[in-house]
Amino acid sequence: LAAISRHHSEIIQELNIELEQLRKIKEETISLRNSLKKTRRAKSKEKSKAEKKRQKESSTIKKTKNDIKKTKKSLKDIKAEKSSINELFAKLRRQKSKEIENRALPDSSVNGKRFKSLKGHLRLPAIGIVSGRFNQRREGTDSRWEGVFIESNSGNDVRSIADGRVVYSDWLRGFGNLVIIDHGDRFYSLYGNNETLWVLEDDIVTAGDKLGTVGNSGGHKSDGVYFEIRRDSTPLNPLDWVNIK
């Protein structure tokens, strides 16, 4: 019986050892499972964070692209509006300029008088509409008119505003076919953009004499005469010297 008792005791002891081993294995398994769960949760959280970051970046990029498109559209709209307002003001300037219409040509009534005494009594050299005024900015350039441009039909007469001597009658860059008359006392009148020239240098002319015909030899947008009055080389406002009729 003692031997049987010992044998049973040994068996029980072995079973207890195995049970303890199983308990430890179970605890290790549970710990490993918990660790795996934590790792999965951490990875899932990191993945979620990365996905949110990606979505935020994607949203930012999309917003930036939309902002760029809106900016381009705004700039385009601003340019269009600026162009429209510039065209409107150019049109208003042209309309304002076209209020001056000349219907009378120079005649012999001013002949024989000193040029400086004729201020306010002269007439424009051609029938037409004043579309470019003295000191007004020329469309499409940074320069200003040093005289006036008179829109007129091609072939119309261009006449001398007063008596004097022709000192230039030829083509000149920027002026086309040009006539310059010396009226004495250092006063000169210039007639540019002519189609034809009817006078030669050193010809003596009187008020109303035909100098040429209206054209577009100076490269303007329309047919007409470019007209200046100068004292020496200084341009004077022709509209201060003429009586519009």
Side-chain angles (χ1 to χ4, degrees):
L1 289 170
I4 292 171
S5 177
R6 282 196 302 273
H7 180 69
H8 284 170
S9 177
E10 288 175 357
I11 291 173
I12 290 170
Q13 188 176 2
E14 287 177 358
L15 286 172
N16 287 333
I17 291 171
E18 288 179 359
L19 287 171
E20 180 63 21
Q21 289 177 344
L22 287 172
R23 185 184 65 76
K24 288 182 178 180
I25 290 171
K26 185 176 180 181
E27 287 179 352
E28 289 175 357
T29 301
I30 291 171
S31 177
L32 182 60
R33 283 178 180 175
N34 290 335
S35 178
L36 286 173
K37 285 181 180 179
K38 286 181 179 179
T39 302
R40 285 174 182 172
R41 281 198 298 269
K43 285 185 178 181
S44 177
K45 188 176 181 180
E46 186 178 343
K47 185 178 179 181
S48 177
K49 188 176 180 181
E51 178 63 19
K52 286 180 180 179
K53 184 179 179 182
R54 187 192 67 77
Q55 289 178 354
K56 186 177 180 180
E57 288 175 349
S58 177
S59 177
T60 301
I61 292 171
K62 187 175 180 181
K63 185 177 182 300
T64 302
K65 287 181 178 179
N66 289 334
D67 289 343
I68 290 171
K69 286 182 180 179
K70 287 178 181 178
T71 301
K72 286 182 177 179
K73 187 177 184 300
S74 296
L75 289 173
K76 188 176 179 180
D77 290 342
I78 289 169
K79 286 180 180 178
E81 289 170 2
K82 185 177 179 181
S83 177
S84 296
I85 198 71
N86 287 341
E87 288 176 6
L88 175 60
F89 275 99
K91 184 178 179 180
L92 290 173
R93 283 196 302 270
R94 287 194 298 270
Q95 288 176 345
K96 186 176 180 181
S97 295
K98 287 183 179 181
E99 291 174 0
I100 299 180
E101 182 175 1
N102 181 56
R103 297 187 177 91
L105 289 170
D107 58 34
S108 60
S109 63
V110 297
N111 283 332
K113 299 178 182 179
R114 295 186 69 177
F115 192 84
K116 65 180 180 180
S117 69
L118 299 176
K119 189 172 183 179
H121 302 288
L122 297 170
R123 292 181 181 172
L124 290 173
I127 291 172
I129 296 170
V130 177
S131 61
R133 297 187 186 186
F134 181 78
N135 204 36
Q136 184 182 61
R137 189 178 296 279
R138 301 178 66 167
E139 284 187 45
T141 71
D142 292 327
S143 62
R144 295 180 180 274
W145 292 104
E146 293 186 332
V148 295
F149 188 80
I150 308 161
E151 289 187 14
S152 185
N153 293 328
S154 179
N156 280 353
D157 288 347
V158 178
R159 298 183 179 271
S160 174
I161 61 169
D163 52 8
R165 182 173 63 89
V166 177
V167 294
Y168 188 90
S169 180
D170 203 347
W171 187 89
L172 183 66
R173 183 180 179 86
F175 290 87
N177 290 325
L178 174 68
V179 174
I180 301 177
I181 299 175
D182 180 356
H183 299 287
D185 294 327
R186 307 196 311 276
F187 285 100
Y188 299 88
S189 58
L190 291 75
Y191 313 77
N193 205 49
N194 299 287
E195 183 65 28
T196 60
L197 300 177
W198 283 44
V199 293
L200 301 173
E201 290 181 18
D202 291 326
D203 282 353
I204 301 299
V205 296
T206 59
D209 283 355
K210 187 172 180 176
L211 305 177
T213 57
V214 171
N216 195 4
S217 58
H220 292 275
K221 290 184 178 180
S222 57
D223 294 334
V225 180
Y226 177 63
F227 174 59
E228 288 186 12
I229 295 176
R230 291 181 180 245
R231 181 76 186 276
D232 289 326
S233 60
T234 304
L236 305 174
N237 186 352
L239 297 183
D240 290 341
W241 286 78
V242 298
N243 180 19
I244 305 294
K245 293 189 177 181

